């Protein structure tokens, strides 16, 4: 489902847009319109008006904070929530906000552009917050401030999971705080952790502010197991995996098993976990689709088992071998070090 914007355009009665000359290049970007045109990822999400704007249908007072809809070399387009209109750059604090942002960023964070985030999955945020109200073609929508788990980052867009509708949605990157979150990843101590691992951990958290223990922090290998309570093959495989898990955990701490339920109800999922006594990581039933990739791993029949590295690359799977053979590959990997 692709997000669309439907918005009226107001007729400005007074004031004309005046172009600003681009300033000279500098080692760090300067606070200029040219910088904004070259680096839209540095565009402030909101600005404050420096004068009153009068329209046929109302007035925007000086000092009003408005969302930035677009920026061109001659003007910027502001979004009131009811309509959009053009304003001269100097009639807002656009460049001042740009200067504050540039000054606040480290050299590493400043190098993070939208294109860089698309290329490097380690910079993909596990969640994003909407910075604008989003309307969809079916008449539904999401409010600004909504936090959504990320499934994939694409050029100009992000795929997210909306739990209430149980739907994967495609949102414009500019309508989220994805770049700001990617910059925070760069500035965090240590090397960025793989998105695949962070996505699973985010699915285990109850909310965006929750800070679960990084259960996969030390995992060199992740065995993803998709199964259900009604699968007879899973019923035979689970005890085998339980034995292997107990045996391998006595000697190795650098692997984890992640269970992904294919049950259709939360009750069936809960009863299945209780009956089998799974000791490994289990993604909660209502958050399975929030974890990037694990629910969409392809397979012909259950159980579907994938042995993966923390970056999400596949070592072995039931696409090429039996489930027990994938467990055997895990043994070999752990033994070889």
């Amino acid at each position: 489902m692709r997000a669309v914007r439907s918005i009226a355009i107001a007729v400005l009665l007074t004031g004309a847009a005046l172009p600003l000359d681009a300033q000279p290049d500098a080692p760090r970007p300067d606070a200029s319109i040219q910088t904004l045109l070259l680096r839209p990822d540095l565009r402030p999400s909101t600005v404050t008006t420096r004068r009153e704007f009068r329209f046929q249908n109302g007035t925007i007072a000086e000092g009003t904070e408005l969302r930035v809809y677009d920026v061109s070399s001659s003007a910027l387009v502001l979004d009131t929530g009811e309509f959009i209109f053009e304003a001269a750059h100097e009639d807002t604090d656009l460049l001042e906000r740009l200067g504050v942002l540039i000054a606040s960023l480290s050299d590493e964070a400043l190098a993070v552009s939208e294109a860089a985030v698309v290329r490097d999955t380690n910079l993909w945020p596990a969640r994003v917050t909407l910075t604008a109200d989003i309307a969809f073609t079916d008449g539904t929508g999401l409010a600004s401030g909504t936090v959504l788990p990320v499934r994939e980052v694409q050029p100009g867009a992000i795929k997210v999971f909306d739990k209430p509708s149980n739907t994967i949605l495609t949102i414009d990157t500019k309508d989220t705080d994805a770049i700001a979150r990617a910059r925070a990843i760069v500035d965090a101590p240590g090397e960025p952790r793989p998105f695949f691992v962070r996505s699973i951990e985010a699915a285990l958290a109850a909310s965006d502010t929750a800070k679960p223990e990084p259960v996969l922090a030390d995992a060199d290998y992740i065995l993803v197991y998709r199964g259900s309570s009604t699968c007879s093959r899973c019923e035979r495989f689970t005890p085998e995996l339980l034995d292997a898990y107990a045996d391998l955990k006595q000697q190795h701490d650098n692997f984890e098993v992640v269970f992904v339920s294919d049950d259709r109800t939360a009750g069936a999922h809960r009863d299945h976990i209780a009956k089998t006594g799974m000791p490994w990581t289990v993604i909660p039933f209502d958050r399975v689709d929030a974890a990037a990739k694990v629910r969409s791993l392809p397979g012909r029949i259950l159980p579907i088992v994938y042995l993966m590295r923390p970056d999400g690359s596949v070592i072995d799977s039931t696409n090429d071998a039996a489930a027990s053979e994938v467990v055997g590959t895990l043994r070999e990997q752990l033994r070889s070090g």
Side-chain angles (χ1 to χ4, degrees), residues 3 10 151 159 186 196 269 283 297 314 335:
R151 292 293 301 270
K159 287 189 175 183
V186 167
F196 177 67
H269 167 77
I283 297 181
L297 290 172
V314 178
R335 186 166 49 245

Side-chain angles (χ1 to χ4, degrees), residues 58-337:
T59 300
I60 302 296
E62 179 181 352
T64 301
E65 186 167 2
L66 297 173
R67 180 173 178 269
V68 176
Y69 186 80
D70 198 9
V71 177
S72 70
S73 60
S74 59
L76 72 162
V77 181
L78 300 179
D79 184 353
T80 70
E82 297 180 354
F83 58 86
I84 61 176
F85 69 96
E86 281 194 349
H89 302 127
E90 61 266 32
D91 288 335
T92 73
D93 64 348
L94 175 70
L95 294 183
E96 286 78 0
R97 293 202 181 203
L98 172 61
V100 170
L101 174 61
I102 291 174
S104 70
L105 296 176
S106 66
D107 290 341
E108 293 78 12
L110 193 56
V112 175
S113 64
E114 183 178 330
V117 175
V118 171
R119 289 193 304 268
D120 188 352
T121 60
N122 284 348
L123 297 181
W124 290 9
R127 291 187 178 89
V128 291
T129 301
L130 296 184
T131 57
D133 293 339
I134 304 296
F136 298 104
T137 52
D138 63 354
T140 62
L142 294 170
S144 176
T146 301
V147 179
L148 298 164
V150 173
R151 292 293 301 270
E152 185 181 356
V153 179
Q154 303 173 333
I158 295 179
K159 287 189 175 183
V160 297
F161 174 67
D162 178 44
K163 178 181 172 183
S165 64
N166 197 35
T167 306
I168 305 298
L169 306 174
T170 301
I171 306 292
D172 286 343
T173 303
K174 66 180 178 62
D175 291 330
T176 75
D177 66 346
I179 303 301
R181 290 193 181 230
R183 289 176 177 141
I185 291 173
V186 167
D187 280 341
E191 292 295 320
R193 300 176 63 232
F195 170 73
F196 177 67
V197 168
R198 289 184 287 109
S199 173
I200 293 174
E201 291 174 353
L204 301 174
S207 69
D208 185 55
T209 57
K211 295 181 179 180
E213 287 296 320
V215 295
L216 304 179
D218 299 322
D220 294 323
Y221 306 99
I222 301 170
L223 190 80
V224 179
Y225 168 25
R226 277 181 59 189
S228 76
S229 59
T230 58
C231 168
S232 59
R233 292 173 297 276
C234 299
E235 189 175 2
R236 293 190 294 272
F237 173 67
T238 299
E240 177 184 344
L241 183 57
L242 285 167
D243 290 343
Y245 184 85
D247 178 44
L248 293 173
K249 276 295 181 181
Q250 291 179 5
Q251 307 169 56
H252 307 280
D253 289 330
N254 61 332
F255 80 96
E256 189 51 83
V257 173
V258 176
F259 180 72
V260 184
S261 177
D262 262 33
D263 280 319
R264 296 188 176 184
T265 68
H269 167 77
R270 182 179 58 252
D271 293 344
H272 184 208
I273 302 305
K275 179 181 178 181
T276 56
M278 295 183 182
W280 44 70
T281 300
V282 176
I283 297 181
F285 180 79
D286 62 347
R287 299 180 216 152
V288 166
D289 285 307
K293 199 171 184 177
V294 294
R295 188 62 181 269
S296 57
L297 290 172
R300 293 180 292 274
I301 58 174
L302 297 177
I304 296 171
V305 183
Y306 275 71
L307 178 59
M308 311 179 80
R309 296 182 179 89
D311 63 1
S313 60
V314 178
I315 300 173
D316 197 7
S317 77
T318 45
N319 285 334
D320 303 308
S324 59
E325 293 174 328
V326 179
V327 176
T329 301
L330 172 61
R331 285 184 182 275
E332 294 171 4
Q333 294 287 324
L334 293 172
R335 186 166 49 245
S336 62

